[in-house]
Amino acid sequence: MFTLVEVVLERSSAEMVLRPAPDAVFALLDGRSMLFSEAGQKIFELDRVGAFIWCKLAQGASLQDVYQGLAELGIDEHTARRFTRQVVNVWIDRALLEVDWRMPTDFAFSANLGRHRISVRAANRDLLRRLLSPFCVSDQGGDGDIAIEAMMLDEQVLLRAEDSSISRCDVEALAPTIKAHVTERLIRSNRWVFSLHAASLVKDGMGLLLCGQPGAGKSTLTLQLVDAGFRYAGDDVALVGADGTICGIPFAITLKEGSWDLLSRLHGDRYDATHCRSDGVRVRYLPIADAQDQCVSAGWIIFLNRVAGGPAELTAIDQLDSMKRLIENAFAADGRLSQTGFFALKRIVAGARSLQLTYCEAVEARRLLMELCNGCNGKA
């Protein structure tokens, strides 16, 4: 058994502390070290080094004390730091350790997305700059119903949500991680009946949905349409209300490496900061200042079919086929499309034109969509 103590983390703010979880128990059984998690109802066996690190932390030692203690066991400092970082990461992920900190008030901002107020606070200016990257518009920091805080621990960033849950990521992955976290929270909000994997734009007050799997070119085509005068509303997820209206999540447009030349041609080199997603894909962000954050009715539903060559063409799709395709691209908080969601989807399809866009070049696809939207607002 051990006494709950606070351990000041090295190379972090002095306000940051690490606490053993209240329900975590250390014990010896037949000479073997183990941890029991009451919350997880699991037992974890520790090797000699892991047991040493845990006991040192439980006794109130700093991480530097841990490194020095491991050095006395014959482990060099580099290896000691690596071992300690590995086990601390595992213990945080398994909720065996609690991390707590008090954030400075200087580095914070807020944003409105999907009818929610997002508040973000960082431990320093560099983290704040990275956290701002995926947001189009922000204002002074304040309380939000979705809150995130970021603090450095060695080379990693620790993230704390408003429910005190802790996650972590590399610095280069911070912006994509924040975007993914906020998107998931919005999708799970009871303010929306379901969500669509689609980019969304607005033309003359009517919504244009671009539906397609990853790699279909939604973000690149979205950038082309924004450059052509469409109002940007989101490039990845569209939220759907019970009344059948849609609301994009207007994060900055996320562009993969293949679109960076287009980004440079349209906007110069102002947005050349590179971020790395959890899947290893490198991305850059283009914020759109006048992004749409209001609900609109869908006027056009476009299913993207990107091909290796040939001319671009639009093909009409009947309402039943459109419903089936949208359901394949839909996801709800509980993983099921409810009856309320079904009727909302029916309203969307009944009030919009549904077409498949087969294309190779985004410029030609943009021309067809401009002609479509300029020729008719809404259902034909």
Side-chain angles (χ1 to χ4, degrees), residues 99-363:
V99 184
D100 194 15
W101 59 74
R102 288 190 294 273
M103 299 291 292
T105 59
D106 300 338
F107 311 112
F109 68 91
S110 296
N112 293 313
L113 294 173
R115 295 184 182 174
H116 285 265
R117 181 74 168 170
I118 318 297
S119 63
V120 182
R121 300 177 69 184
N124 56 56
R125 194 175 304 278
D126 180 61
L127 285 181
L128 181 70
R129 185 167 57 250
R130 290 178 177 272
L131 288 165
L132 277 167
S133 296
F135 290 86
C136 283
V137 180
S138 62
D139 53 36
Q140 293 298 315
D143 293 336
D145 50 336
I146 298 177
I148 306 168
E149 296 179 340
M151 174 76 79
M152 289 296 301
L153 172 59
D154 286 341
E155 292 81 17
Q156 289 189 115
V157 182
L158 296 184
L159 303 170
R160 180 170 63 186
E162 69 277 356
D163 62 358
S164 297
S165 61
I166 300 291
S167 58
R168 55 187 176 82
C169 67
D170 293 333
V171 174
E172 292 77 10
L174 179 56
T177 300
I178 290 294
K179 179 183 176 182
H181 174 81
V182 173
T183 299
E184 182 179 0
R185 289 296 312 279
L186 294 176
I187 290 171
R188 295 183 177 279
S189 168
N190 57 15
R191 301 179 186 182
W192 310 103
V193 293
F194 69 94
S195 305
L196 291 170
H197 188 63
S200 48
L201 300 107
V202 178
K203 178 67 172 177
D204 297 331
M206 298 296 292
L208 168 69
L209 289 175
L210 300 178
C211 305
Q213 297 299 317
K218 293 189 299 297
S219 295
T220 302
L221 187 51
T222 296
L223 177 58
Q224 290 274 7
L225 291 172
V226 169
D227 184 61
F230 284 66
R231 191 170 183 187
Y232 174 69
D235 71 338
D236 189 35
V237 173
L239 307 168
V240 179
D243 60 355
T245 57
I246 58 173
C247 180
I249 305 178
F251 282 110
I253 299 178
T254 303
L255 296 168
K256 300 176 186 176
E257 198 163 357
S259 301
W260 292 352
D261 286 343
L262 174 62
L263 175 62
S264 179
R265 290 198 301 272
L266 295 178
H267 296 274
D269 297 325
R270 289 186 299 158
Y271 305 106
D272 58 356
T274 302
H275 306 265
C276 186
R277 300 191 321 198
S278 60
D279 59 4
V281 175
R282 298 194 304 159
V283 298
R284 291 177 180 172
Y285 295 110
L286 173 63
I288 307 298
D290 62 344
Q292 168 90 18
D293 191 32
Q294 303 297 321
C295 293
V296 296
S297 296
W300 308 271
I301 304 169
I302 308 298
F303 297 96
L304 300 181
N305 176 35
R306 194 174 184 182
V307 295
E313 62 176 344
L314 284 166
T315 307
I317 295 175
D318 63 45
Q319 292 185 7
L320 180 56
D321 189 13
S322 181
M323 282 278 289
K324 291 178 178 179
R325 294 191 187 200
L326 286 176
I327 289 176
E328 290 178 356
N329 284 281
F331 41 98
D334 60 0
R336 301 175 61 190
L337 181 65
S338 66
Q339 290 186 18
T340 301
F342 171 81
F343 284 111
L345 190 57
K346 181 175 180 294
R347 291 187 188 98
I348 293 175
V349 172
R353 295 183 64 185
S354 296
L355 305 102
Q356 175 171 291
L357 172 60
T358 300
Y359 78 103
C360 173
E361 298 295 334
V363 173

Side-chain angles (χ1 to χ4, degrees), residues 2-148:
F2 59 84
T3 303
L4 296 182
V5 294
E6 295 185 353
V7 181
V8 178
L9 295 182
E10 185 197 16
R11 296 167 69 180
S12 299
S13 165
E15 300 295 328
M16 190 176 191
V17 295
L18 182 69
R19 299 186 182 94
D23 73 326
V25 177
F26 174 81
L28 293 173
L29 184 64
D30 194 24
R32 298 162 68 180
S33 302
M34 66 177 187
L35 293 175
F36 169 66
S37 169
E38 182 179 351
Q41 290 292 289
K42 289 184 178 181
I43 293 177
F44 305 96
E45 185 174 358
L46 302 178
D47 61 16
R48 183 175 67 95
V49 174
F52 176 85
I53 295 171
W54 180 272
C55 290
K56 292 290 287 184
L57 294 178
Q59 293 166 6
S62 68
L63 290 183
Q64 188 59 45
D65 292 335
V66 172
Y67 303 149
Q68 293 176 353
L70 290 174
E72 294 173 0
L73 296 178
I75 301 175
D76 65 87
E77 182 176 355
H78 173 76
T79 303
R81 288 180 179 272
R82 179 167 56 86
F83 281 168
T84 303
R85 186 181 305 114
Q86 287 174 348
V87 296
V88 166
N89 286 344
V90 170
W91 293 338
I92 290 174
D93 292 346
R94 293 176 175 174
L96 294 167
L97 291 178
E98 293 182 342
V99 184
D100 194 15
W101 59 74
R102 288 190 294 273
M103 299 291 292
T105 59
D106 300 338
F107 311 112
F109 68 91
S110 296
N112 293 313
L113 294 173
R115 295 184 182 174
H116 285 265
R117 181 74 168 170
I118 318 297
S119 63
V120 182
R121 300 177 69 184
N124 56 56
R125 194 175 304 278
D126 180 61
L127 285 181
L128 181 70
R129 185 167 57 250
R130 290 178 177 272
L131 288 165
L132 277 167
S133 296
F135 290 86
C136 283
V137 180
S138 62
D139 53 36
Q140 293 298 315
D143 293 336
D145 50 336
I146 298 177
I148 306 168

